Amino acid sequence: MIPEPSSHVARGQAAETVHPGAFLAVRAGKNRHASPSSGRHDTFKCQRSCHHHLAQQQQQQQQQQLARRSSGQACGSAGAPPRQHYYPEGGWGWIVCAAGFLAHLLSCGLQLAFGLLLLYTVRHLGDNAVIDSAWLGALSTSSWLLAAPLAVSLCRRKWTRLTAMLAGLVMALACLFASFATQLHQLLLSYGVLLGMSSGLVRETASLTLGHYFRRRREFVEMVVQAGAGVGIALFSVLYREAVGQWGWRLGLQAVTVLLCGAFFLGMLYRSASMYHPQRRAILLLKSQRKKARHKKPPSPQQRRLQQQPRPPFFDVTPLRIRAVQVLMLSSAVSALGVYTPVFYLALQGYQEGLDDSALVLLQTFLGFATALGCVGFGLMVVRASDQCLVSRQYLCQAAMAGIGLSLLALSTVQGYHGYVLVVWLYGVCLGGFFYSLKVFTMQSVRSRYFARAWGFVQGAEALPLLLGVPITGYINQSHPKAGYYFSLLATLLGAVLLFLVGGGSGGGNGGAGACSDWEDGPPPLPLPPPVSTPATVCGRPRLHKSISFATPLDLPMTDEYWRPVRPCRSVPEGLGRHQPITVVEQITTSV
């Protein structure tokens, strides 16, 4: 005897398995005593309803099979639930990487090549407007850095592409307005504020979009993108000489405007990374089914209140509670008083010492190529880290800042074209390394979910010190020639020393799992090895030398609890890596 279904679901499933022809037989049996015309009419209506029911059932089965196939393929390839964020690690991400390179070329190159434009600004405003022109460049670069937190907040509202396109349009229009400016306050508004803020938005939107595509290869793509700043310095230096120097202020800046119009079209390439999610079809199907169910039965006011999620604040200051972010902001703010000083005064100092325009353009070109070389060189030390020589990212950043301080010290005493060439190459390589190493060090010190906001705050902290440090150095150089570089040197070295307060980092990010902040009372104690027997061999194995790193004997007995094969891995200097529970010796530093 077959039991009946015990639930409505079972009954529904049993009903769905009945062949549609059964309904025809039942209806025909009921109507066998009716008239022939009415029987044929009822049979026709029954056939139509059964075919409609069968079509709906087949459509539902196809949708379910499609959802299972999409989720099965996605889980087999990505191993992630539909709600987990997916990083393509390539594909259209390389197009976004190329767009980010061009965005840094236009925005960073425009700002950091101001040293040559400073000469033409002085000629345009008057010979007594040296400090006023320095204020103009410092205001533009400060606005460029201050736009980073604003860009992060706008992009969190799902406005990444719109923000990038509008910023590119405003940047071109601001440069066009600056070409018609004849007074200082007009330049401060157009070039100082509008151009600086828009160029900062162009750069940060490219960086944020890149972070949605890459996680495992983030250090490599950051190296490629940051190198665009150095290429932009060289390109805009030559453009200023050929356009502004030959055609004049108005026509020259209008020619620069034509080049800046390309930033508007870069925003069109910033597709959302969710378009390439392997479970995209299943996610869209679930959303459509949820939307249909919502239309059929609208939720009650109580359910609507429960479903509504609280909207995050426009400026999320949660990363400011992290100690590493606080120290990074303090260090970058102090170092910004002197790190960027040669960018503004290098060409002016060479011009005052009698170098011609072609030599100044060549120095600026060397500065751009050296910056790109520094980004690539420091990036390779992070991406292609050697097993025998592993340098901490903190030490890389401090070494770059120490090199900048050395170039500032040399700039206060150097004379002649060849001396300037050596200083420019040293400063450019260290400046590019500073840009790259500071970002990857922040990436290592902060968890990945806080990195975008933390990096925006770190850049925003540099805005006000840069706005004050560049004019202060100019005022000191006017009263005591080349003495202002000592002030910049002191600020740079002090910022490098403050990085020692960061510590081991808060984990997460791209540097691996685990975090120092996860243990409130320090790392857990390491398990001690069992007592070692005195004979020269243990379980038939020859006794090995002790490890220099941990001074732990390797002649562990062959037990299931303690014996594990020794695996080679990278050695992390003490105090540089994250504390992790280690149960076996990490590396054999002597020959066996």
Side-chain angles (χ1 to χ4, degrees), residues 51 73 77 114 147 158-159 164 180 416 431 469 496 510 539 541 555 563 577:
H51 285 301
Q73 292 176 358
S77 60
F114 185 79
K158 309 298 183 182
W159 299 340
F180 294 100
L431 182 65
N510 299 346
C539 299
R541 294 179 177 269
D555 48 350
W563 176 260

Side-chain angles (χ1 to χ4, degrees), residues 103-104 107-108 144-145 148 198-208 455 459:
H104 280 71
S107 60
C108 301
W144 174 60
L145 295 172
S198 57
S199 61
L201 292 177
V202 168
R203 181 191 61 167
E204 287 305 312
T205 50
S207 180
L208 291 173
W455 178 241
Q459 292 184 95

Side-chain angles (χ1 to χ4, degrees), residues 341-416:
T341 302
V343 171
F344 297 90
Y345 294 116
L346 180 63
L348 179 63
Q349 181 174 337
Y351 176 76
Q352 292 175 351
E353 292 191 3
L355 297 180
D356 55 352
D357 293 344
S358 60
L360 296 178
V361 173
L362 198 57
L363 287 178
Q364 289 289 118
T365 306
F366 289 157
L367 176 61
F369 289 148
T371 304
L373 182 62
C375 290
V376 175
F378 279 70
L380 291 178
M381 296 181 67
V382 174
V383 176
R384 301 291 184 182
S386 175
D387 295 339
Q388 288 77 21
C389 181
L390 183 63
V391 183
S392 172
R393 302 181 187 186
Q394 174 184 341
Y395 288 170
L396 285 177
C397 187
Q398 290 176 323
M401 297 172 73
I404 292 176
L406 182 62
S407 62
L408 288 170
L409 182 62
L411 192 60
S412 61
T413 57
V414 71
Q415 293 180 356

Side-chain angles (χ1 to χ4, degrees), residues 26-325:
V26 173
R27 295 297 299 270
K30 288 181 179 181
N31 298 328
R32 65 177 179 269
H33 301 291
S35 61
S37 61
S38 62
R40 287 193 298 270
H41 182 68
D42 293 341
T43 304
F44 179 71
K45 290 175 61 178
C46 185
Q47 287 178 354
R48 290 181 59 185
S49 62
C50 290
H51 285 301
H52 181 68
H53 176 75
L54 181 61
Q56 290 183 349
Q57 184 178 358
Q58 291 178 355
Q59 185 179 3
Q60 292 178 0
Q61 290 178 358
Q62 290 177 358
Q63 290 180 355
Q64 293 175 1
Q65 290 177 2
L66 177 62
R68 286 195 299 267
R69 189 184 303 113
S70 301
S71 60
Q73 292 176 358
C75 294
S77 60
R83 293 181 178 271
Q84 186 174 355
H85 188 79
Y86 173 72
Y87 296 88
E89 296 292 344
W92 189 260
W94 297 118
I95 305 297
V96 177
C97 180
F101 178 86
L102 295 177
H104 280 71
L105 185 147
L106 295 176
S107 60
C108 301
L110 179 68
Q111 295 295 330
L112 300 179
F114 185 79
L116 196 61
L117 187 62
L118 177 65
L119 301 177
Y120 301 117
T121 307
V122 171
R123 297 176 186 176
H124 180 67
L125 296 178
D127 295 337
N128 297 326
V130 176
I131 300 299
D132 295 339
S133 301
W135 275 103
L136 175 64
L139 178 62
S140 180
T141 310
S142 300
S143 303
W144 174 60
L145 295 172
L146 193 61
L150 178 62
V152 174
S153 301
L154 291 175
C155 293
R156 291 185 67 203
R157 301 282 179 172
K158 309 298 183 182
W159 299 340
T160 305
R161 180 179 292 183
L162 180 62
T163 303
M165 296 178 64
L166 289 180
L169 181 62
V170 173
M171 183 170 65
L173 292 178
C175 186
L176 181 62
F177 295 159
S179 65
F180 294 100
T182 57
Q183 298 181 5
L184 179 62
H185 67 277
Q186 297 172 350
L187 285 174
L188 291 176
L189 178 61
S190 59
Y191 189 92
V193 178
L194 292 179
L195 185 63
M197 293 290 291
S198 57
S199 61
L201 292 177
V202 168
R203 181 191 61 167
E204 287 305 312
T205 50
S207 180
L208 291 173
T209 308
L210 199 66
H212 295 161
Y213 279 87
F214 295 96
R215 180 184 179 90
R216 181 169 49 86
R217 301 175 178 174
R218 184 67 185 273
E219 289 88 357
F220 174 75
V221 295
E222 285 293 341
M223 176 188 67
V224 176
V225 168
Q226 293 285 343
V231 179
I233 294 175
L235 176 63
F236 276 94
S237 298
V238 176
L239 184 60
Y240 286 153
R241 164 68 189 281
E242 299 297 331
V244 183
Q246 299 293 335
W247 300 342
W249 178 264
R250 177 173 299 181
L251 295 178
L253 287 185
Q254 290 176 1
V256 175
T257 303
V258 175
L259 180 62
L260 295 181
C261 290
F264 173 79
F265 300 98
L266 293 178
M268 299 180 181
L269 302 176
Y270 298 158
R271 294 180 182 177
S272 176
S274 60
M275 294 180 60
Y276 304 97
H277 200 290
Q279 301 177 358
R280 176 175 173 80
R281 299 176 66 184
I283 293 173
L284 293 179
L285 181 60
L286 293 176
K287 287 183 178 180
S288 62
Q289 291 179 353
R290 192 180 305 164
K291 189 178 297 183
K292 291 179 182 178
R294 191 183 300 116
H295 287 305
K296 290 181 180 179
K297 184 179 180 181
S300 61
Q302 183 179 3
Q303 293 179 352
R304 192 180 296 109
R305 286 194 299 268
L306 294 176
Q307 291 177 359
Q308 289 179 353
Q309 297 180 356
R311 197 170 187 179
F314 188 75
F315 286 103
D316 190 2
V317 296
T318 304
L320 296 180
R321 304 173 184 176
I322 304 175
R323 180 175 177 272
V325 177

Side-chain angles (χ1 to χ4, degrees), residues 135 138 141-142 145 328-345 401 404-405 408 427 431 434-435 438 458-477 483-496 498:
W135 275 103
T141 310
S142 300
L145 295 172
L328 285 170
M329 291 178 61
L330 179 61
S331 175
S332 59
V334 173
S335 61
L337 290 170
V339 167
Y340 299 95
T341 302
V343 171
F344 297 90
Y345 294 116
M401 297 172 73
I404 292 176
L408 288 170
Y427 174 73
L431 182 65
F434 172 72
F435 287 156
L438 181 62
V458 169
Q459 292 184 95
E462 299 179 0
L464 184 60
L466 189 147
L467 180 62
L468 299 178
V470 173
I472 288 176
T473 304
Y475 284 124
I476 297 176
N477 286 339
Y485 296 117
Y486 294 109
F487 168 75
S488 302
L489 171 64
L490 180 62
T492 303
L493 295 181
L494 181 59
L498 289 175

